[in-house]
Coordinates of all heavy atoms in Angstrom, one line a residue:
M1 N -265.8 -99.3 67.4 CA -264.4 -100.1 67.4 C -264.8 -101.5 67.5 O -264.1 -102.3 66.9 CB -263.6 -99.4 68.4 CG -262.0 -99.6 68.2 SD -261.5 -99.0 66.7 CE -259.8 -99.5 66.8
K2 N -265.5 -101.9 68.5 CA -265.8 -103.3 68.9 C -266.5 -104.0 67.8 O -266.1 -105.1 67.4 CB -266.7 -103.3 70.1 CG -266.1 -104.3 71.2 CD -267.1 -104.2 72.4 CE -266.6 -105.0 73.4 NZ -267.5 -105.0 74.7
K3 N -267.4 -103.3 67.1 CA -268.1 -103.9 66.0 C -267.1 -104.1 64.8 O -267.3 -105.2 64.2 CB -269.1 -102.8 65.4 CG -270.5 -103.1 66.0 CD -271.5 -102.3 65.3 CE -272.9 -102.4 65.9 NZ -273.9 -101.4 65.5
Q4 N -266.1 -103.4 64.7 CA -265.1 -103.6 63.6 C -264.4 -104.8 63.9 O -264.0 -105.6 63.0 CB -264.3 -102.4 63.3 CG -264.6 -101.6 62.2 CD -263.6 -100.5 61.9 OE1 -262.8 -100.1 62.8 NE2 -263.7 -99.8 60.8
I5 N -264.1 -105.1 65.1 CA -263.3 -106.2 65.5 C -264.1 -107.5 65.2 O -263.6 -108.5 64.6 CB -262.8 -106.3 66.9 CG1 -261.7 -105.0 67.1 CG2 -262.3 -107.5 67.5 CD1 -261.5 -104.8 68.5
L6 N -265.5 -107.4 65.5 CA -266.4 -108.4 65.4 C -266.4 -108.9 63.9 O -266.5 -109.9 63.4 CB -267.6 -108.2 66.0 CG -267.8 -108.4 67.4 CD1 -269.3 -108.0 67.9 CD2 -267.5 -109.9 67.8
K7 N -266.5 -107.8 63.1 CA -266.6 -107.9 61.5 C -265.5 -108.8 61.0 O -265.7 -109.6 60.1 CB -266.6 -106.6 60.9 CG -268.0 -106.1 60.5 CD -268.0 -104.9 59.7 CE -269.3 -104.2 59.4 NZ -269.1 -102.8 58.8
I8 N -264.2 -108.6 61.6 CA -263.2 -109.3 61.1 C -263.1 -110.7 61.8 O -262.8 -111.8 61.1 CB -261.8 -108.6 61.5 CG1 -261.9 -107.2 60.8 CG2 -260.7 -109.5 60.9 CD1 -260.8 -106.2 61.2
L9 N -263.5 -110.6 63.0 CA -263.3 -111.9 63.8 C -264.3 -113.1 63.4 O -264.0 -114.2 63.2 CB -263.6 -111.5 65.4 CG -263.0 -112.6 66.4 CD1 -261.4 -112.5 66.3 CD2 -263.5 -112.3 67.7
I10 N -265.6 -112.6 63.1 CA -266.6 -113.5 62.7 C -266.2 -114.4 61.5 O -266.2 -115.7 61.5 CB -268.0 -112.9 62.7 CG1 -268.4 -112.6 64.1 CG2 -269.1 -113.9 62.0 CD1 -269.6 -111.8 64.3
P11 N -266.0 -113.6 60.4 CA -265.7 -114.3 59.2 C -264.4 -115.2 59.3 O -264.3 -116.3 58.7 CB -265.3 -113.2 58.1 CG -266.0 -112.0 58.7 CD -266.0 -112.2 60.0
T12 N -263.5 -114.7 60.0 CA -262.2 -115.5 60.3 C -262.5 -116.8 61.0 O -262.1 -117.9 60.6 CB -261.1 -114.8 61.1 OG1 -261.0 -113.5 60.6 CG2 -259.7 -115.4 61.1
T13 N -263.3 -116.7 62.1 CA -263.7 -117.8 62.8 C -264.5 -118.9 61.8 O -264.3 -120.1 62.0 CB -264.6 -117.4 64.1 OG1 -264.1 -116.3 64.7 CG2 -264.9 -118.5 65.0
L14 N -265.4 -118.3 61.1 CA -266.3 -119.2 60.3 C -265.3 -119.8 59.3 O -265.6 -121.0 58.9 CB -267.3 -118.3 59.5 CG -268.6 -117.9 60.3 CD1 -269.3 -116.9 59.4 CD2 -269.2 -119.2 60.7
L15 N -264.3 -119.2 58.8 CA -263.4 -119.8 57.8 C -262.6 -120.9 58.4 O -262.5 -122.0 57.9 CB -262.4 -118.7 57.3 CG -261.7 -119.1 56.1 CD1 -262.2 -119.2 54.9 CD2 -260.5 -118.1 55.9
I16 N -262.1 -120.7 59.6 CA -261.4 -121.7 60.3 C -262.3 -123.0 60.6 O -261.9 -124.1 60.3 CB -260.9 -121.2 61.7 CG1 -259.7 -120.1 61.3 CG2 -260.3 -122.4 62.6 CD1 -259.3 -119.4 62.5
A17 N -263.6 -122.6 61.0 CA -264.5 -123.7 61.4 C -264.8 -124.5 60.1 O -264.9 -125.7 60.1 CB -265.8 -123.2 61.9
A18 N -265.0 -123.8 59.0 CA -265.3 -124.4 57.6 C -264.0 -125.4 57.2 O -264.3 -126.5 56.7 CB -265.5 -123.4 56.6
L19 N -262.9 -124.8 57.4 CA -261.7 -125.6 57.0 C -261.6 -126.8 57.9 O -261.2 -127.9 57.4 CB -260.5 -124.7 57.2 CG -260.2 -123.8 56.1 CD1 -258.9 -122.8 56.5 CD2 -259.9 -124.4 54.7
F20 N -262.0 -126.7 59.2 CA -262.0 -127.8 60.1 C -262.9 -128.9 59.7 O -262.6 -130.1 59.6 CB -262.4 -127.3 61.5 CG -261.9 -128.2 62.6 CD1 -260.7 -128.6 62.9 CD2 -263.0 -128.8 63.4 CE1 -260.4 -129.5 64.0 CE2 -262.8 -129.6 64.3 CZ -261.5 -129.9 64.8
V21 N -264.1 -128.4 59.3 CA -265.2 -129.4 59.0 C -264.8 -130.0 57.6 O -264.9 -131.3 57.5 CB -266.5 -128.6 58.6 CG1 -267.6 -129.5 57.9 CG2 -267.1 -128.2 60.0
I22 N -264.2 -129.4 56.7 CA -263.6 -130.0 55.4 C -262.6 -131.0 55.7 O -262.6 -132.1 55.2 CB -263.1 -128.9 54.5 CG1 -264.3 -128.0 53.9 CG2 -262.3 -129.5 53.3 CD1 -263.8 -126.8 53.2
G23 N -261.7 -130.6 56.7 CA -260.7 -131.5 57.0 C -261.2 -132.8 57.7 O -260.7 -133.8 57.4
I24 N -262.2 -132.7 58.4 CA -262.8 -133.9 59.2 C -263.5 -134.8 58.0 O -263.4 -136.0 58.1 CB -263.8 -133.5 60.2 CG1 -263.2 -133.0 61.4 CG2 -264.7 -134.6 60.6 CD1 -264.0 -132.4 62.6
S25 N -264.2 -134.0 57.2 CA -265.0 -134.9 56.2 C -264.1 -135.6 55.2 O -264.3 -136.6 54.6 CB -265.9 -133.9 55.4 OG -265.2 -133.1 54.6
C26 N -262.8 -135.1 55.1 CA -261.8 -135.8 54.3 C -261.1 -137.1 54.9 O -260.6 -137.9 54.2 CB -260.6 -134.9 53.9 SG -261.2 -133.7 52.6
T27 N -261.2 -137.1 56.3 CA -260.5 -138.2 57.0 C -260.9 -139.6 56.8 O -260.1 -140.5 56.8 CB -260.3 -137.8 58.5 OG1 -261.7 -137.4 59.0 CG2 -259.3 -136.9 58.8
P28 N -262.3 -139.8 56.5 CA -262.6 -141.2 56.3 C -261.8 -142.0 55.4 O -261.6 -143.3 55.5 CB -264.1 -141.2 55.9 CG -264.6 -139.9 56.4 CD -263.4 -138.9 56.4
G29 N -261.2 -141.4 54.4 CA -260.4 -142.0 53.4 C -259.1 -142.5 53.9 O -258.4 -143.3 53.4
S30 N -258.6 -141.8 55.0 CA -257.2 -141.9 55.5 C -257.1 -143.2 56.3 O -255.9 -143.8 56.3 CB -256.8 -140.8 56.4 OG -257.5 -140.8 57.6
D31 N -258.1 -143.8 56.9 CA -257.9 -145.1 57.6 C -258.0 -146.3 56.5 O -257.8 -147.5 57.1 CB -259.0 -145.3 58.7 CG -260.4 -145.3 58.2 OD1 -260.6 -145.0 56.9 OD2 -261.3 -145.7 58.8
C32 N -258.1 -146.0 55.5 CA -258.0 -147.2 54.4 C -256.8 -146.9 53.6 O -256.6 -145.9 52.8 CB -259.3 -147.2 53.6 SG -259.2 -147.0 51.9
E33 N -255.9 -147.8 53.7 CA -254.6 -147.6 52.9 C -254.8 -148.4 51.5 O -255.0 -149.7 51.6 CB -253.5 -148.2 53.7 CG -252.3 -147.1 53.9 CD -251.3 -147.8 54.8 OE1 -250.3 -148.3 54.1 OE2 -251.3 -147.6 56.0
S34 N -254.6 -147.7 50.5 CA -254.7 -148.4 49.2 C -253.4 -149.1 48.9 O -252.3 -148.7 49.2 CB -255.0 -147.3 48.1 OG -253.8 -146.6 47.8
Q35 N -253.6 -150.3 48.3 CA -252.5 -151.1 47.9 C -252.6 -151.7 46.4 O -253.7 -151.4 46.0 CB -252.3 -152.3 48.8 CG -253.5 -152.9 49.3 CD -253.3 -153.7 50.5 OE1 -252.2 -154.1 50.8 NE2 -254.5 -154.1 51.1
L36 N -251.6 -152.2 46.0 CA -251.7 -152.7 44.6 C -252.3 -154.0 44.5 O -251.8 -155.0 45.2 CB -250.3 -152.6 43.9 CG -249.8 -151.1 43.5 CD1 -248.3 -151.3 43.1 CD2 -250.7 -150.5 42.6
W37 N -253.3 -154.3 43.7 CA -254.0 -155.6 43.4 C -253.5 -156.0 41.9 O -253.6 -155.1 41.0 CB -255.3 -155.5 43.6 CG -255.7 -155.0 45.0 CD1 -255.9 -153.7 45.5 CD2 -256.0 -155.8 46.2 NE1 -256.1 -153.8 46.9 CE2 -256.2 -155.1 47.2 CE3 -255.9 -157.3 46.3 CZ2 -256.5 -155.6 48.6 CZ3 -256.1 -157.8 47.6 CH2 -256.4 -156.9 48.8
Y38 N -253.3 -157.3 41.9 CA -252.9 -157.9 40.5 C -254.0 -158.8 40.0 O -254.6 -159.6 40.8 CB -251.6 -158.6 40.7 CG -250.5 -157.7 41.0 CD1 -250.3 -157.5 42.5 CD2 -249.7 -156.9 40.0 CE1 -249.3 -156.5 42.8 CE2 -248.7 -155.9 40.6 CZ -248.5 -155.9 41.9 OH -247.5 -155.0 42.3
A39 N -254.3 -158.7 38.9 CA -255.4 -159.4 38.3 C -255.1 -161.0 38.3 O -253.9 -161.5 38.0 CB -255.6 -159.1 36.7
D40 N -256.0 -161.8 38.7 CA -255.9 -163.2 38.8 C -257.0 -163.7 37.9 O -258.1 -164.2 38.4 CB -256.0 -163.7 40.2 CG -255.9 -165.2 40.2 OD1 -255.3 -165.7 39.4 OD2 -256.2 -165.8 41.4
N41 N -256.7 -163.8 36.6 CA -257.6 -164.2 35.6 C -257.9 -165.7 35.6 O -259.1 -166.0 35.4 CB -257.0 -163.8 34.3 CG -257.9 -164.1 33.1 OD1 -259.1 -163.6 33.1 ND2 -257.5 -164.7 32.1
D42 N -257.0 -166.4 35.9 CA -257.2 -167.9 35.9 C -257.5 -168.5 37.3 O -257.9 -169.7 37.4 CB -255.9 -168.6 35.3 CG -254.6 -168.4 36.1 OD1 -254.9 -167.8 37.2 OD2 -253.6 -168.7 35.6
G43 N -257.7 -167.6 38.3 CA -258.1 -168.1 39.6 C -257.4 -169.0 40.4 O -257.7 -169.7 41.2
D44 N -256.0 -169.0 40.0 CA -255.1 -169.9 40.8 C -254.6 -169.2 42.0 O -253.8 -169.8 42.8 CB -254.0 -170.4 39.9 CG -253.0 -169.3 39.4 OD1 -253.3 -168.2 39.8 OD2 -252.2 -169.6 38.6
G45 N -254.9 -168.0 42.2 CA -254.4 -167.2 43.5 C -253.1 -166.5 43.3 O -252.7 -165.8 44.2
Y46 N -252.7 -166.6 42.0 CA -251.4 -165.9 41.8 C -251.7 -164.7 40.7 O -252.5 -165.0 39.8 CB -250.3 -166.8 41.2 CG -249.9 -167.8 42.3 CD1 -250.7 -168.9 42.4 CD2 -248.9 -167.7 43.1 CE1 -250.3 -170.0 43.4 CE2 -248.6 -168.6 44.1 CZ -249.3 -169.7 44.2 OH -248.9 -170.8 45.1
G47 N -251.2 -163.5 40.9 CA -251.5 -162.4 40.2 C -250.6 -162.1 38.9 O -249.5 -162.5 38.9
N48 N -251.3 -161.5 38.0 CA -250.4 -161.0 36.7 C -249.7 -159.6 37.0 O -250.4 -158.7 37.3 CB -251.5 -160.8 35.7 CG -250.9 -160.4 34.4 OD1 -249.7 -160.1 34.2 ND2 -251.7 -160.2 33.3
P49 N -248.4 -159.7 37.0 CA -247.7 -158.5 37.4 C -247.9 -157.3 36.4 O -247.6 -156.2 36.7 CB -246.1 -159.0 37.3 CG -246.3 -160.2 36.6 CD -247.6 -160.8 36.7
D50 N -248.5 -157.7 35.2 CA -248.7 -156.6 34.2 C -250.0 -156.0 34.3 O -250.3 -154.9 33.6 CB -248.5 -157.2 32.8 CG -247.1 -157.7 32.5 OD1 -246.2 -157.1 33.1 OD2 -247.0 -158.7 31.9
K51 N -250.9 -156.5 35.1 CA -252.2 -155.9 35.3 C -252.6 -155.7 36.7 O -253.0 -156.6 37.4 CB -253.3 -157.0 34.7 CG -254.3 -156.3 33.9 CD -255.1 -157.6 33.3 CE -256.7 -157.2 33.1 NZ -257.4 -158.3 32.7
M52 N -252.4 -154.4 37.1 CA -252.6 -154.1 38.4 C -253.5 -152.9 38.6 O -253.6 -152.0 37.6 CB -251.2 -153.9 39.1 CG -250.4 -152.6 38.5 SD -249.0 -152.5 39.3 CE -247.8 -152.2 37.9
I53 N -254.1 -152.7 39.7 CA -254.8 -151.5 40.0 C -254.6 -151.2 41.5 O -254.4 -152.1 42.3 CB -256.4 -151.6 39.7 CG1 -257.0 -153.0 40.4 CG2 -256.6 -151.6 38.3 CD1 -258.5 -152.9 40.2
S54 N -254.7 -150.0 41.9 CA -254.6 -149.5 43.2 C -256.0 -149.4 43.9 O -256.8 -148.6 43.4 CB -253.8 -148.2 43.2 OG -253.5 -147.8 44.6
S55 N -256.2 -149.9 45.0 CA -257.5 -149.9 45.7 C -257.4 -150.2 47.2 O -256.4 -151.0 47.5 CB -258.5 -150.9 45.0 OG -259.6 -151.0 45.7
C56 N -258.3 -149.8 48.0 CA -258.3 -150.0 49.4 C -258.8 -151.5 49.6 O -258.2 -152.1 50.3 CB -259.2 -149.1 50.2 SG -258.7 -147.3 50.0
D57 N -259.9 -151.9 49.0 CA -260.5 -153.0 49.2 C -260.2 -154.1 47.9 O -259.8 -153.6 46.9 CB -262.0 -153.0 49.3 CG -262.4 -152.0 50.2 OD1 -261.9 -152.1 51.4 OD2 -263.2 -151.0 49.9
Q58 N -260.2 -155.2 48.3 CA -259.8 -156.2 47.3 C -260.9 -156.2 46.2 O -262.0 -156.6 46.4 CB -259.5 -157.6 47.9 CG -259.3 -158.7 46.9 CD -258.9 -160.0 47.5 OE1 -259.1 -160.2 48.7 NE2 -258.2 -160.9 46.8
P59 N -260.4 -155.9 44.9 CA -261.4 -155.9 43.8 C -261.7 -157.5 43.4 O -260.7 -158.2 43.7 CB -260.7 -155.3 42.7 CG -259.5 -154.6 43.3 CD -259.1 -155.5 44.5
Q60 N -262.7 -157.7 42.8 CA -263.1 -159.1 42.5 C -261.9 -159.5 41.4 O -261.6 -158.8 40.6 CB -264.5 -159.1 41.9 CG -265.2 -160.4 42.2 CD -266.6 -160.6 41.7 OE1 -267.0 -159.5 41.1 NE2 -267.1 -161.6 41.8
N61 N -261.6 -160.8 41.6 CA -260.6 -161.4 40.7 C -259.1 -160.6 40.8 O -258.5 -160.8 39.7 CB -261.1 -161.5 39.2 CG -262.3 -162.3 39.1 OD1 -262.5 -163.2 39.9 ND2 -263.1 -161.9 38.2
Y62 N -258.9 -160.0 41.9 CA -257.6 -159.5 42.1 C -257.1 -159.9 43.4 O -257.6 -160.3 44.3 CB -257.7 -157.9 42.0 CG -257.8 -157.3 40.7 CD1 -259.0 -157.2 39.8 CD2 -256.6 -156.7 40.1 CE1 -259.1 -156.8 38.6 CE2 -256.7 -156.2 38.8 CZ -257.9 -156.1 38.2 OH -257.9 -155.7 36.9
V63 N -255.7 -160.3 43.2 CA -255.0 -160.7 44.4 C -253.7 -159.7 44.7 O -253.4 -159.0 43.8 CB -254.6 -162.2 44.3 CG1 -255.7 -163.1 44.3 CG2 -253.7 -162.3 43.1
L64 N -253.2 -160.0 45.8 CA -251.9 -159.2 46.3 C -250.7 -159.8 45.6 O -249.7 -159.1 45.5 CB -251.7 -159.1 47.7 CG -252.7 -158.1 48.5 CD1 -252.5 -158.3 50.0 CD2 -252.4 -156.7 48.1
D65 N -250.8 -161.0 45.2 CA -249.6 -161.7 44.6 C -249.4 -161.2 43.2 O -250.4 -160.8 42.4 CB -249.9 -163.2 44.7 CG -248.6 -163.9 44.1 OD1 -247.8 -164.3 44.9 OD2 -248.7 -164.2 42.9
N66 N -248.2 -161.2 42.8 CA -247.9 -160.8 41.4 C -246.8 -161.7 40.7 O -246.0 -161.3 40.0 CB -247.5 -159.4 41.3 CG -246.0 -159.1 42.0 OD1 -245.6 -159.9 42.7 ND2 -245.4 -158.0 41.7
T67 N -246.9 -162.9 41.0 CA -245.9 -163.8 40.6 C -246.4 -165.0 39.6 O -245.8 -165.9 39.3 CB -245.2 -164.7 41.7 OG1 -246.3 -165.4 42.4 CG2 -244.5 -163.6 42.7
D68 N -247.5 -164.8 38.9 CA -248.0 -165.7 38.0 C -247.5 -165.4 36.8 O -247.5 -164.3 36.1 CB -249.7 -165.5 38.0 CG -250.3 -166.8 37.3 OD1 -249.5 -167.5 36.8 OD2 -251.5 -166.9 37.3
C69 N -246.8 -166.3 36.1 CA -246.1 -166.0 34.8 C -247.0 -166.4 33.7 O -246.7 -166.0 32.5 CB -244.8 -166.7 34.7 SG -244.9 -168.6 34.8
D70 N -248.2 -167.1 33.9 CA -249.2 -167.3 32.9 C -250.5 -167.3 33.6 O -251.0 -168.2 34.1 CB -248.9 -168.7 32.3 CG -249.8 -168.8 31.1 OD1 -250.8 -167.9 30.8 OD2 -249.8 -169.9 30.3
D71 N -251.2 -166.0 33.4 CA -252.5 -165.9 34.1 C -253.6 -166.5 33.2 O -254.8 -166.1 33.6 CB -252.5 -164.4 34.5 CG -253.6 -164.1 35.5 OD1 -253.7 -165.0 36.4 OD2 -254.3 -163.1 35.5
N72 N -253.4 -167.1 32.3 CA -254.3 -167.8 31.4 C -254.4 -169.3 31.7 O -255.1 -170.0 31.0 CB -254.2 -167.5 29.9 CG -254.4 -165.9 29.7 OD1 -255.5 -165.5 30.0 ND2 -253.6 -165.3 29.0
N73 N -253.6 -169.7 32.6 CA -253.3 -171.1 32.9 C -253.3 -171.4 34.4 O -252.3 -171.1 34.9 CB -252.2 -171.8 32.2 CG -252.1 -173.2 32.2 OD1 -252.7 -173.9 33.1 ND2 -251.4 -173.8 31.4
A74 N -254.4 -172.0 34.9 CA -254.3 -172.1 36.4 C -253.3 -173.2 36.8 O -253.1 -173.2 38.1 CB -255.8 -172.6 36.9
Y75 N -252.9 -173.9 36.0 CA -251.9 -175.0 36.4 C -250.4 -174.4 36.3 O -249.5 -175.1 36.6 CB -251.9 -176.1 35.4 CG -253.3 -176.9 35.5 CD1 -254.2 -176.8 34.5 CD2 -253.5 -177.7 36.7 CE1 -255.5 -177.3 34.6 CE2 -254.9 -178.2 36.6 CZ -255.8 -178.1 35.7 OH -256.9 -178.7 35.9
V76 N -250.3 -173.3 35.9 CA -249.0 -172.6 35.8 C -248.9 -171.5 37.0 O -249.6 -170.5 36.9 CB -248.7 -172.0 34.4 CG1 -247.3 -171.2 34.4 CG2 -248.6 -173.1 33.4
H77 N -248.1 -171.7 37.9 CA -247.8 -170.6 39.0 C -246.4 -171.1 39.6 O -246.0 -172.2 39.4 CB -249.0 -170.5 39.8 CG -249.5 -171.8 40.6 ND1 -248.7 -172.5 41.5 CD2 -250.4 -172.6 40.2 CE1 -249.4 -173.5 41.9 NE2 -250.4 -173.7 41.1
P78 N -246.0 -170.2 40.4 CA -244.6 -170.6 41.0 C -244.7 -171.8 42.0 O -243.6 -172.4 42.3 CB -244.4 -169.3 41.9 CG -245.1 -168.2 41.3 CD -246.3 -168.9 40.7
N79 N -245.8 -172.2 42.5 CA -245.8 -173.4 43.3 C -246.3 -174.7 42.5 O -246.4 -175.6 43.2 CB -246.8 -173.2 44.6 CG -246.0 -172.5 45.6 OD1 -244.8 -172.7 45.9 ND2 -246.7 -171.7 46.4
A80 N -246.3 -174.6 41.3 CA -246.7 -175.7 40.4 C -245.4 -176.6 40.3 O -244.4 -176.2 40.5 CB -247.2 -175.3 39.2
R81 N -245.8 -177.9 39.9 CA -244.7 -178.8 39.6 C -244.4 -178.7 38.2 O -245.2 -178.7 37.3 CB -245.1 -180.3 40.1 CG -244.7 -180.4 41.5 CD -245.0 -181.9 41.9 NE -244.2 -182.9 41.1 CZ -244.2 -184.2 41.2 NH1 -245.1 -184.7 41.9 NH2 -243.2 -185.0 40.6
E82 N -243.2 -178.7 37.9 CA -242.7 -178.6 36.6 C -243.1 -180.0 35.8 O -242.7 -181.1 36.4 CB -241.0 -178.6 36.4 CG -240.7 -178.2 35.0 CD -241.0 -177.0 34.3 OE1 -241.1 -176.0 34.9 OE2 -241.4 -177.0 33.1
I83 N -243.9 -179.9 34.8 CA -244.3 -181.0 34.0 C -243.3 -181.1 32.8 O -243.2 -180.1 32.0 CB -245.8 -180.9 33.6 CG1 -246.7 -180.7 34.7 CG2 -246.0 -182.0 32.7 CD1 -248.0 -180.3 34.5
L84 N -242.7 -182.2 32.7 CA -241.7 -182.3 31.6 C -242.3 -182.5 30.3 O -243.4 -183.0 30.1 CB -240.8 -183.5 32.0 CG -239.9 -183.3 33.2 CD1 -239.1 -184.6 33.4 CD2 -239.2 -182.2 33.2
A85 N -241.6 -182.0 29.2 CA -242.1 -182.2 28.0 C -243.4 -181.5 27.3 O -244.0 -182.2 26.6 CB -241.9 -183.6 27.6
N86 N -243.7 -180.5 28.1 CA -245.0 -179.9 27.6 C -244.6 -178.4 27.1 O -245.6 -177.6 26.7 CB -246.0 -179.8 28.7 CG -245.6 -178.9 29.8 OD1 -244.5 -178.5 30.0 ND2 -246.6 -178.7 30.8
D87 N -243.4 -178.1 27.0 CA -242.9 -176.8 26.5 C -243.5 -175.6 27.2 O -243.6 -174.6 26.7 CB -243.4 -176.8 24.9 CG -242.4 -177.5 24.0 OD1 -241.1 -177.4 24.5 OD2 -242.8 -177.9 22.9
I88 N -243.8 -175.9 28.5 CA -244.4 -174.8 29.3 C -243.5 -174.7 30.6 O -243.1 -175.7 31.2 CB -245.9 -175.1 29.6 CG1 -246.8 -175.1 28.5 CG2 -246.3 -173.9 30.8 CD1 -248.2 -175.5 28.8
D89 N -243.2 -173.4 30.9 CA -242.5 -173.1 32.3 C -243.6 -173.2 33.3 O -244.1 -172.2 33.7 CB -241.8 -171.8 32.2 CG -241.1 -171.6 33.6 OD1 -240.9 -172.4 34.3 OD2 -240.9 -170.3 33.8
D90 N -243.9 -174.4 33.8 CA -245.1 -174.6 34.6 C -244.9 -174.0 36.1 O -245.9 -173.5 36.6 CB -245.3 -176.1 35.0 CG -245.3 -176.9 33.7 OD1 -246.7 -177.0 33.2 OD2 -244.5 -177.3 33.1
N91 N -243.7 -174.0 36.6 CA -243.5 -173.4 37.9 C -242.7 -172.0 37.9 O -242.4 -171.5 38.9 CB -242.5 -174.4 38.7 CG -241.1 -174.5 38.1 OD1 -240.9 -174.0 36.9 ND2 -240.3 -175.4 38.7
C92 N -242.8 -171.2 36.7 CA -242.5 -169.8 36.7 C -241.0 -169.4 37.1 O -240.8 -168.6 37.8 CB -243.5 -169.0 37.5 SG -245.3 -168.9 36.9
N93 N -240.1 -170.5 37.0 CA -238.7 -170.2 37.4 C -237.9 -169.8 36.1 O -236.7 -169.7 36.2 CB -238.1 -171.4 38.1 CG -238.0 -172.6 37.1 OD1 -238.4 -172.6 36.0 ND2 -237.2 -173.6 37.7
G94 N -238.5 -169.5 35.0 CA -237.7 -169.1 33.8 C -237.1 -170.1 33.1 O -236.6 -169.9 32.0
Q95 N -237.4 -171.4 33.4 CA -236.7 -172.5 32.8 C -238.0 -173.5 32.3 O -238.7 -173.8 33.1 CB -235.8 -173.4 33.6 CG -234.4 -172.6 33.8 CD -233.6 -173.3 34.8 OE1 -233.9 -173.3 36.1 NE2 -232.6 -174.0 34.3
I96 N -237.8 -173.9 31.0 CA -238.9 -174.6 30.4 C -238.4 -176.2 30.4 O -237.4 -176.5 30.1 CB -239.3 -174.3 29.0 CG1 -239.8 -172.8 29.1 CG2 -240.2 -175.2 28.4 CD1 -239.9 -172.2 27.7
D97 N -239.3 -176.9 31.1 CA -239.1 -178.5 31.2 C -237.7 -178.8 31.8 O -237.1 -179.8 31.2 CB -239.3 -179.0 29.7 CG -240.7 -178.8 29.2 OD1 -241.6 -178.5 30.1 OD2 -240.9 -179.2 28.1
E98 N -237.3 -178.0 32.7 CA -236.1 -178.5 33.4 C -236.4 -179.7 34.4 O -237.5 -179.9 34.8 CB -235.5 -177.3 34.3 CG -236.3 -177.1 35.6 CD -237.5 -176.2 35.5 OE1 -238.0 -176.0 34.3 OE2 -238.0 -175.8 36.5
E99 N -235.3 -180.5 34.7 CA -235.5 -181.7 35.5 C -235.9 -181.4 36.9 O -235.3 -180.3 37.6 CB -234.1 -182.5 35.6 CG -233.8 -183.0 34.2 CD -234.5 -184.3 33.9 OE1 -235.0 -185.0 34.8 OE2 -234.4 -184.8 32.7
Ligands
LIG101 CA1 -253.4 -166.4 38.2
LIG102 CA1 -251.5 -169.1 36.4
LIG103 CA1 -239.7 -174.3 35.1
LIG104 CA1 -243.1 -177.8 31.7

């Protein structure tokens, strides 16, 4: 009778132990919270809202910002000064060459 109990008990214990180990081995990923990174192609520090990836660590040439309206022009970003008469929305406010 005792042997039968052990026969059931041992595999159950092993199974629980195995699940515990699997659970522990999974946790290293949990202390890293993945976030969305946006491509900063022109290197002005402002990201392209159309080009994003999710990652824990900052990928090269990616930033957390997503407000660059022209990621091929480092002079165009939300903190840039509007340059008149260049037909470009330099400061990303949706208006071209406003005063
Ligand atoms: Ca940029
Ligand atoms: Ca830009
Ligand atoms: Ca503008
Ligand atoms: Ca302009």
